[in-house]
Amino acid sequence: MSKQNPLSTEKTDVIILGAGASGLMCAIEAGKRNRKVLVIDHAKKPGRKILMSGGRCCNFTNSNIHADNYISHNPHFCKSALSRYTQRDFLALVQKHRISISEKAHGQLFCDDSSQDILNILLSECEQAGVSFQLNSKIEKIEHPSERHFKVVSSKGDYICQSLVVATGGLSVPDSGATALGYKIAEQFHINVWPQSAGLVPFTFQPKDKEKFSALSGISVNAVVSNKRQHFFDNILFTHRGLSGPAVLQMSLYWQPGEELTINLLPEIDLIDIFKEQQQQRPQRRLKSMLAEYLPKRLVAVMTINDLAESPLRTISDNQFKKIAAQIQKWTIKPGGTEGYRTAEVTLGGVDCDAVSSKTMEARQTAGLFFVGEVLDVSGQLGGYNLQWAWSSGWCAGQVV
Ligand SMILES: Cc1cc2nc3c(=O)[nH]c(=O)nc-3n(C[C@H](O)[C@H](O)[C@H](O)COP(=O)(O)OP(=O)(O)OC[C@H]3O[C@@H](n4cnc5c(N)ncnc54)[C@H](O)[C@@H]3O)c2cc1C
């Protein structure tokens, strides 16, 4: 990796703000076109979120990528980039570097060893493409001295470039170096920025529910989590603060504060049929023993808090059983909120896609200014979709910067 002289005012073709997934991909592609590329980041090392991703095994893409897997005020915006640089293209890059990978549930592609493998690929491609880095560098301001130039004033010197790429990501996990710089730059250039909120994030219980359900911490079951617009069938996890697990994280992308969720804790069976059958075959059996065949005992105890749990099946009326079944299969809960950016994987909202070309990621009103990755108002579902968006959008800008 070549180094910049920290004291000089450098001229370069392309400056990329942010050495994350989208910035590195853009740098590689621009470098391959023989553009002189400088990546600036305030972090000491590049790609911190890549390293954190996928439980440190980086769920780097998904075998099935569709625009439907993304949320944006402009749902069509992501289509062009995702079709120009696809999951197969990124997979080919991973295979070129002979990284061992596996496909897991729902088409999710992971590294077998470590996320570091993906970062190493990107850094080695950057090196081959002659990309320079200025890390540990605070960006103080951006100037636009002429139509054809941008000036980046940083703690390590000033830099002039023709193309400025904003790849500073979203707000999730502030400890990883996330800041609002990208949104501020957009606003400086009079680009609309949609309000942001935490996505792919656990829900917290309201105080009364916390009292009731925090004892279930650590329990996980397969469930369907739904609201009026969406539903997800996957694992949910009770935590001492609230609910997590893939189905819950997915739902957080589609949840509005104050909205109620319905959770089916036994989505694969007809509980009423089973009850009727068991009532005939084993009338003396207690309800809680019957339910414990399907759900963890601690969960049964909380979900059937009344005398019925101890009652023999023969004494339970159809109506009473319907109520129990509804409690388990149509459990409604109003989350108190989410855990916020501290644990969120993505940021919803961001730079308005309508202000940016979907083919090149260039700002429509400011030639030479580009936005790529999560800073844009494009958020993917859980499953490698966010990194694929970073690769695809970074690649598109890299062809033209
Ligand atoms: C814990 C966790 C796990 C995840 N797991 C997955 C996964 O498995 N699969 C998946 O698809 N997605 C995952 N994601 C989401 C994914 O990591 C991001 O969507 C993706 O990294 C976004 O890429 P980006 O280039 O837009 O931003 P980032 O990768 O966040 O890069 C932004 C860069 O900009 C720099 N920067 C920010 N502000 C400034 C500033 N003021 N000055 C200078 N530099 C700045 C940062 O230091 C950072 O290097 C995960 C996210 C988290 C938090």
Side-chain angles (χ1 to χ4, degrees):
M1 194 184 300
S2 53
K3 291 227 164 66
Q4 289 296 124
N5 174 355
L7 299 173
S8 64
T9 299
E10 292 272 337
K11 271 197 174 171
T12 187
D13 297 331
V14 183
I15 290 182
I16 298 173
L17 303 179
S22 62
L24 293 174
M25 178 55 91
C26 182
I28 292 164
E29 290 303 311
K32 286 202 289 204
R33 291 173 39 242
N34 292 322
R35 300 288 279 161
K36 194 176 168 202
V37 181
L38 172 66
V39 181
I40 306 181
D41 201 304
H42 64 168
K44 288 194 183 112
K45 290 184 175 170
R48 185 126 180 238
K49 262 190 201 164
I50 298 173
L51 293 179
M52 297 169 77
S53 67
R56 304 202 170 266
C57 281
C58 193
N59 178 194
F60 55 84
T61 190
N62 194 294
S63 300
N64 308 300
I65 302 258
H66 300 282
D68 294 352
N69 301 116
Y70 294 87
I71 298 137
S72 169
H73 287 83
N74 179 346
H76 304 292
F77 178 82
C78 62
K79 290 179 184 170
S80 170
L82 292 172
S83 67
R84 292 179 68 216
Y85 188 81
T86 69
Q87 66 274 32
R88 291 172 296 283
D89 294 318
F90 193 77
L91 191 56
L93 179 65
V94 170
Q95 283 164 344
K96 178 182 137 190
H97 286 259
R98 298 177 183 279
I99 301 304
S100 163
I101 59 156
S102 297
E103 181 165 335
K104 303 217 168 143
H106 312 296
Q108 300 173 14
L109 292 161
F110 282 84
C111 295
D112 286 337
D113 295 330
S114 150
S115 306
Q116 187 71 52
D117 287 341
I118 297 294
L119 184 55
N120 289 347
I121 292 176
L122 298 167
L123 294 178
S124 107
E125 293 279 329
C126 277
E127 193 167 356
Q128 273 184 39
V131 173
S132 301
F133 286 82
Q134 182 69 73
L135 301 174
N136 202 9
S137 183
K138 188 173 180 324
I139 293 156
E140 276 152 11
K141 61 178 169 174
I142 307 297
E143 293 171 1
H144 191 27
S146 75
E147 252 187 43
R148 308 194 60 142
H149 293 103
F150 296 87
K151 184 175 177 185
V152 177
V153 177
S154 87
S155 57
K156 296 230 172 125
D158 299 351
Y159 303 91
I160 302 269
C161 62
Q162 292 163 4
S163 296
L164 180 67
V165 183
V166 181
T168 46
L171 297 172
S172 62
V173 194
D175 287 353
S176 72
T179 73
L181 178 69
Y183 309 131
K184 287 184 188 144
I185 296 172
E187 279 161 359
Q188 178 185 340
F189 287 90
H190 310 291
I191 291 171
N192 179 44
V193 178
W194 292 105
Q196 300 96 57
S197 61
L200 296 180
V201 63
F203 288 120
T204 53
F205 289 132
Q206 298 200 45
K208 68 172 173 33
D209 289 328
K210 190 171 176 197
E211 219 170 277
K212 187 170 171 191
F213 296 116
S214 60
L216 300 178
S217 175
I219 286 179
S220 77
V221 291
N222 282 332
V224 174
V225 181
S226 47
N227 65 5
K228 289 193 179 118
R229 303 172 297 287
Q230 270 288 350
H231 66 275
F232 292 97
F233 175 32
D234 211 319
N235 211 250
I236 67 165
L237 170 71
F238 287 83
T239 71
H240 56 272
R241 288 183 299 273
L243 291 170
S244 186
V248 166
L249 299 182
Q250 299 279 34
M251 184 47 80
S252 71
L253 294 172
Y254 301 91
W255 179 78
Q256 298 296 326
E259 194 180 11
E260 208 168 61
L261 299 176
T262 302
I263 302 182
N264 183 345
L265 295 166
L266 278 176
E268 287 170 303
I269 61 170
D270 186 328
L271 203 50
I272 300 203
D273 272 1
I274 287 173
F275 168 70
K276 283 185 182 155
E277 198 184 285
Q278 290 271 310
Q279 198 182 34
Q280 285 212 333
Q281 288 170 4
R282 303 177 69 181
Q284 300 300 351
R285 196 175 193 201
R286 281 184 294 174
L287 176 66
K288 72 173 190 191
S289 320
M290 183 203 115
L291 290 173
E293 256 184 53
Y294 301 96
L295 287 170
K297 279 185 188 155
R298 277 194 288 151
L299 185 53
V300 171
V302 171
M303 285 297 171
T304 55
I305 263 183
N306 55 38
D307 299 344
L308 284 183
E310 298 293 340
S311 305
L313 295 178
R314 69 180 167 74
T315 65
I316 300 175
S317 70
D318 285 359
N319 247 351
Q320 284 172 318
F321 199 79
K322 269 188 195 152
K323 278 188 193 154
I324 299 280
Q327 190 127 329
I328 292 172
Q329 295 189 307
K330 287 182 194 153
W331 174 39
T332 55
I333 181 144
K334 197 188 273 187
T338 72
E339 287 193 2
Y341 292 118
R342 189 180 59 82
T343 58
E345 285 194 18
V346 281
T347 303
L348 289 156
V351 174
D352 191 346
C353 297
D354 290 345
V356 174
S357 154
S358 61
K359 196 169 173 211
T360 62
M361 308 292 138
E362 186 171 18
R364 293 189 186 283
Q365 304 298 333
T366 308
L369 178 64
F370 295 79
F371 293 88
V372 295
E374 202 183 312
V375 73
L376 283 160
D377 171 34
V378 176
S379 311
Q381 293 176 346
L382 192 76
Y385 300 102
N386 285 295
L387 283 171
Q388 183 60 45
W389 171 246
W391 315 135
S392 296
S393 56
W395 184 91
C396 286
Q399 308 310 305
V400 293
V401 287

